[in-house]
Amino acid sequence: MAVMDETGLAKKLDVITQRHPTVGLAVVVAGPGGGLLFRGHGVADHASGTPITEETGFRIASISKTFTAIAVMQLVESGLVRLDRPANDYLRAFRLVPARAGHRAATVRDLLTHTAGLGELAHLSGLIRPDFGESVPAGTPLPSLAQFYGGRLHLKAEPGTCFTYGNQGPAVLGQLVEDVVGAPLDVVFRERLFEPLGMHHSDLLRSEQVRARLASGYEPRSDGWRAVEERDMITSVAASVSSTPADMARYMSALLGGGANEHGRVLQPDTLAQMFAPQYRPDPRIPGMGLGFFRAEVSGHAVVEHQGVHPGFHSHLCLAPEKGVGVVVLTLSLIHISEPTRQLT
């Protein structure tokens, strides 16, 4: 698995942006030994014409779920949470309700692998509402998850019997972390994840620091690009982290470095290896699901990855831990970047 130089990266991005037009795009490529390459394309905002830099803020959407998983595994390392205990043992704000009497309880491991039996939607009304009914206009007070779920979140199937990707499982895990730690999630993320890794321009909330750097998301229209409405997610830990290419480079370095980078450590190597290993694998012919990370193969190499999609933003994190190689791509428009991202590794 070869890692390209700056010239090779520039040529690759020229091909990608010709095939997939975008307002703005940022790429960070990590190579063995900690080497990093950055490339920006386009602008962070049409009106100002501000170029994309390493300090431009992006909404990373569902890559947020990987931070939530790490926060959970920190509690596992400390002995405060056990993976195979029912999540209800730790939840205080609301309860998970089985689909039927006699079904086993959803465990923490089930939630980390999207096999807890939860549906994609919390409420049927989400079918006709923005972001499946999980968001409010930016600046509107966010209801708590206890309010959003009405104190009870009903499972749709018996845990362990099916895989259903969505925001509800990670949201439950976020509430679990908050209930166990006894602190707001934005504080938990800042003190236990972002600050130890030197990610000083990342946040779970739309804080003033994030707002000042955040690029505008766009969607294509017949008459050109149009800025999307800014909305905040109720299921924040599943989709709301904002970060910069520089901060995501630090995160990628920690994931490739056994849970630590030059700034600090957030997990022990064995714990991170457990997260990358197959935890749900219904058939040995497929890579399966880790704890908070998807598994795949690229050119015969095992990788772990996660995408993020939010109106106006699209992101992808792809790592080959055994090779010490990885890539983060952040864009300001909804384009399919899975294959281009993998080409960069």
Side-chain angles (χ1 to χ4, degrees):
M1 183 175 282
V3 180
M4 65 192 69
D5 56 16
E6 290 188 13
T7 301
L9 177 59
K11 289 180 178 179
K12 278 282 189 180
L13 282 187
D14 285 343
V15 173
I16 291 171
T17 54
Q18 288 173 13
R19 294 178 179 176
H20 306 276
T22 180
V23 173
L25 177 149
V27 177
V28 181
V29 178
L36 293 169
L37 296 176
F38 167 78
R39 185 79 176 180
H41 167 84
V43 297
D45 177 75
H46 260 163
S48 67
T50 304
I52 297 291
T53 73
E54 292 178 81
E55 302 303 331
T56 301
F58 290 81
R59 299 192 70 166
I60 65 171
S62 286
I63 296 178
S64 305
K65 294 176 173 67
T66 65
F67 289 100
T68 304
I70 289 175
V72 171
M73 296 306 291
Q74 288 178 332
L75 298 179
V76 172
E77 280 189 344
S78 66
L80 295 174
V81 168
R82 295 175 62 183
L83 285 174
D84 296 313
R85 293 295 299 170
N88 276 339
D89 287 0
Y90 307 106
L91 289 169
R92 300 292 178 267
F94 57 81
R95 309 302 291 168
L96 296 179
V97 181
R100 292 184 181 179
H103 282 183
R104 74 167 176 84
T107 67
V108 177
R109 191 188 302 272
D110 293 328
L111 290 166
L112 285 166
T113 57
H114 297 282
T115 59
L118 288 165
E120 186 174 359
L121 301 177
H123 308 291
L124 284 178
S125 61
L127 290 170
I128 57 173
R129 297 175 64 190
D131 302 317
F132 305 107
E134 296 177 28
S135 70
V136 298
T140 303
L142 284 171
S144 68
L145 283 177
Q147 293 170 325
F148 184 57
Y149 294 141
R152 298 164 65 86
L153 181 58
H154 290 263
L155 306 186
K156 308 300 181 183
E158 183 169 10
T161 62
C162 62
F163 174 94
T164 302
Y165 177 80
N167 286 346
Q168 312 317 316
V172 172
L173 288 170
Q175 186 65 62
L176 183 152
V177 170
E178 188 170 86
D179 289 345
V180 172
V181 176
L185 280 170
D186 61 303
V187 174
V188 173
F189 273 42
R190 192 175 308 116
E191 294 182 350
R192 299 187 176 211
L193 298 172
F194 301 143
E195 290 182 0
L197 296 181
M199 300 176 66
H200 301 305
H201 302 299
S202 301
D203 208 338
L204 179 62
L205 300 180
R206 193 189 293 266
S207 61
E208 187 59 41
Q209 178 175 297
V210 163
R211 192 180 301 114
R213 297 171 178 269
L214 191 59
S216 299
Y218 290 89
E219 60 184 3
R221 293 287 179 170
S222 59
D223 57 348
W225 296 101
R226 187 179 77 175
V228 300
E229 176 191 13
E230 293 186 349
R231 300 183 67 87
D232 291 330
M233 299 296 292
I234 300 169
T235 52
S236 61
V237 291
S240 288
V241 169
S242 295
S243 190
T244 65
D247 276 5
M248 290 302 292
R250 296 181 182 102
Y251 183 47
M252 184 163 55
S253 294
L255 295 176
L256 292 172
N261 62 16
E262 61 180 333
H263 299 279
R265 176 174 296 280
V266 291
L267 281 180
Q268 295 301 315
D270 288 349
T271 304
L272 191 62
Q274 184 181 13
M275 296 181 72
F276 291 166
Q279 301 292 330
Y280 176 72
R281 198 177 193 180
D283 190 297
R285 293 171 295 180
I286 62 175
M289 179 78 192
L291 298 175
F293 288 87
F294 290 98
R295 292 167 43 83
E297 287 188 5
V298 177
S299 301
H301 299 283
V303 302
V304 292
E305 60 184 357
H306 212 294
Q307 283 192 350
V309 178
H310 184 83
F313 294 87
H314 197 170
S315 54
H316 197 133
L317 169 69
C318 184
L319 307 166
E322 293 182 359
K323 298 296 180 180
V325 175
V327 60
V328 174
V329 180
L330 309 169
T331 78
L332 299 181
S333 50
L334 185 57
I335 62 173
H336 183 70
I337 60 175
S338 296
E339 291 308 315
T341 300
R342 291 176 178 182
Q343 291 170 19
L344 292 170
T345 58

